[in-house]
Structure formats: structure tokens, C-alpha cells
Amino acid sequence: RSVSDNVILPLAALIITFILCYELIQMINEKNNMHDIDTFNFFKYVFKAAIAVYLLSNTFNFVMAFFDVGASLTTSTLGIVSSSNAMIQVDSAEFIESLKELKVHELTTLLFLTWLFRGIFSVLSIGVYIILAIRMIEIYFYISLAPVPFATFGNKEWSNIGINYSKVILAYALQGVLIIIGFGIYSELVKSFLAEIGGGAFDFTKSLGFLIGISVVLLVSLIKSNSVAKSVLNAH
């Protein structure tokens, strides 16, 4: 907010001043150098200028309103997903009995695969963290520069900049919903996997491979959440 108010806002003030002066000159030229001017046009110009200045002076509040809506939707989605994802308790005794049936070389192979898959899971976990961190940094970037696109709302020719910016901000606010849905799907797949294990015989290698597969699906879904949210709102 400090960067937005102290660094970017003065630049946005210059932009909105240029736009208002340009519109005033354009209005005068269109009215035959004020020979055909109507008093109502001046009132309309002043009213539009007042709204543009008000939007610019309250940019941060408007931007945060988008994220307040997104936070409310995310919280509601989280409540739905959490209520439908009760964790299944798996009896560890069945694992122990299954391990007793394996031979030494099979146990050695299983140990190696377990360490390998554990490393892969660590990489996937880091990938998920990095993606979420990048999303947050991008949000800070957009919020910091918010006054510039908000300064363009007062002009019909430039307003598409501010409109597209609003779409992008709303898309980032909706990403929280998509991320929660992605984790909810991941949780359901893990729950199905645990239910299968709790039911009886299974293949250790195939099971660990399945866990890695659905973790990759989670990673891809987090990456795609950005493009999906923007495509829904036709933002670019």
C-alpha cells in the first residue's frame, strides 16, 4: 500500500490529468471551438472528472474489495470441501502382515522405491509451495500498480485498460476457489486410495506410483488455476 500510495499514485495522477485535459480539448473541438457548446456538457465533464478522481483516490479500497469477495468465496468453498473429506483410518497391522509375506530382495526393492518416492514427494511439495508463493507475489505486483489502470476509467478509449485490470484482479481473487477445489480433488483421490489399501491386498509399487501421479495432478491443477480463472473472465 505504501508503494501504491507514495510511488505509483503520483504517476497515476499525471495520467488522469492528461486524460481530463485531452477530453476537455476534444470536447471543445467537437463543439466548433465552443460556439455550439452546451452548459450540460460542462456539468457532465465535471461530474465524470469527480468520479474518476474518487476512483483513483480510493483505488486500494476497491482492489481489496475484490479480494474480500474472493476470500469469502474461498472460505465457503473450503467449508464444503472440508466437510466432504473425512480421513479414513487405516489399520497398520495389515501393512505389517503384508510386509512379512515379502522376501528380502522384495523388501530391499520396496525400501529403495520408498526413498525414491519420498524424494519425489519432497520435490512436488516444494513445487506446490513455489507456485503458491509466485501467485502471492504476482498479486502484490498487481496491487502495487493499481492506481495506473484505475486512472484510465475516465476515458472511453483508454478504459479497456482499467476494465481488463479489474478482470485480472477478480481472476486472482477467484483462484483461491480453484486452488481449494484442486486440493479437494486431491484429498478425494487419496481417500479412495486409502480405502483400497484398507480393504486388503495391494501392490506397493503401484500404490506409491499412484500417489505420485495424483500429486503431479495437484501440481498441474495449481498451475492451470491461473489460466482457467482468466479464461472464465476473458482477461489477458
Side-chain angles (χ1 to χ4, degrees):
R1 182 167 190 169
S2 297
V3 173
S4 177
D5 292 342
N6 300 319
V7 179
I8 308 300
L9 189 59
L11 174 61
L14 291 176
I15 294 175
I16 196 172
T17 301
F18 167 78
I19 290 176
L20 292 176
C21 291
Y22 171 77
E23 285 205 340
L24 181 59
I25 295 172
Q26 193 177 39
M27 183 179 66
I28 293 174
N29 290 333
E30 288 177 354
K31 298 301 180 180
N32 192 18
N33 292 326
M34 299 188 70
H35 288 90
D36 302 326
I37 196 68
D38 188 359
T39 307
F40 176 74
N41 289 329
F42 276 109
F43 282 113
K44 184 172 67 174
Y45 171 80
V46 172
F47 181 70
K48 184 169 67 172
I51 293 177
V53 172
Y54 176 79
L55 287 175
L56 184 60
S57 60
N58 292 276
T59 295
F60 192 83
N61 295 329
F62 283 113
V63 172
M64 294 311 299
F66 283 109
F67 288 104
D68 287 340
V69 173
S72 177
L73 295 176
T74 302
T75 302
S76 301
T77 305
L78 182 61
I80 296 173
V81 172
S82 299
S83 62
S84 63
N85 282 321
M87 186 56 66
I88 296 178
Q89 298 294 330
V90 179
D91 187 6
S92 60
E94 295 184 4
F95 284 98
I96 297 175
E97 292 300 324
S98 300
L99 291 174
K100 288 180 180 180
E101 298 176 358
L102 299 178
K103 298 179 181 180
V104 175
H105 70 277
E106 293 176 331
L107 290 172
T108 304
T109 303
L110 177 61
L111 179 62
F112 172 76
L113 292 175
T114 302
W115 280 102
L116 176 63
F117 291 156
R118 182 179 180 182
I120 295 175
F121 277 123
S122 298
V123 172
L124 291 174
S125 300
I126 294 173
V128 170
Y129 178 82
I130 290 175
I131 291 172
L132 296 179
I134 290 174
R135 292 288 182 268
M136 291 304 302
I137 292 174
E138 288 178 346
I139 289 172
Y140 284 128
F141 284 165
Y142 276 101
I143 292 177
S144 299
L145 299 176
V148 171
F150 265 73
T152 64
F153 275 114
N155 184 265
K156 183 169 61 175
E157 298 174 1
W158 290 33
S159 60
N160 62 316
I161 298 176
I163 293 173
N164 184 69
Y165 172 83
S166 300
K167 291 180 180 180
V168 172
I169 287 296
L170 184 57
Y172 274 107
L174 293 178
Q175 270 192 64
V177 176
L178 299 181
I179 289 173
I180 295 300
I181 292 175
F183 275 105
I185 294 173
Y186 175 79
S187 179
E188 281 292 335
L189 291 173
V190 172
K191 187 172 71 171
S192 301
F193 168 74
L194 292 176
E196 181 182 349
I197 289 180
F202 60 94
D203 186 284
F204 284 100
T205 305
K206 185 183 297 185
S207 300
L208 291 174
F210 176 77
L211 285 176
I212 290 179
I214 60 176
S215 298
V216 172
V217 170
L218 173 63
L219 190 64
V220 173
S221 67
L222 295 181
I223 295 174
K224 294 291 290 182
S225 64
N226 186 26
S227 59
V228 171
K230 287 184 177 180
S231 64
V232 169
L233 296 170
N234 194 26
H236 56 273

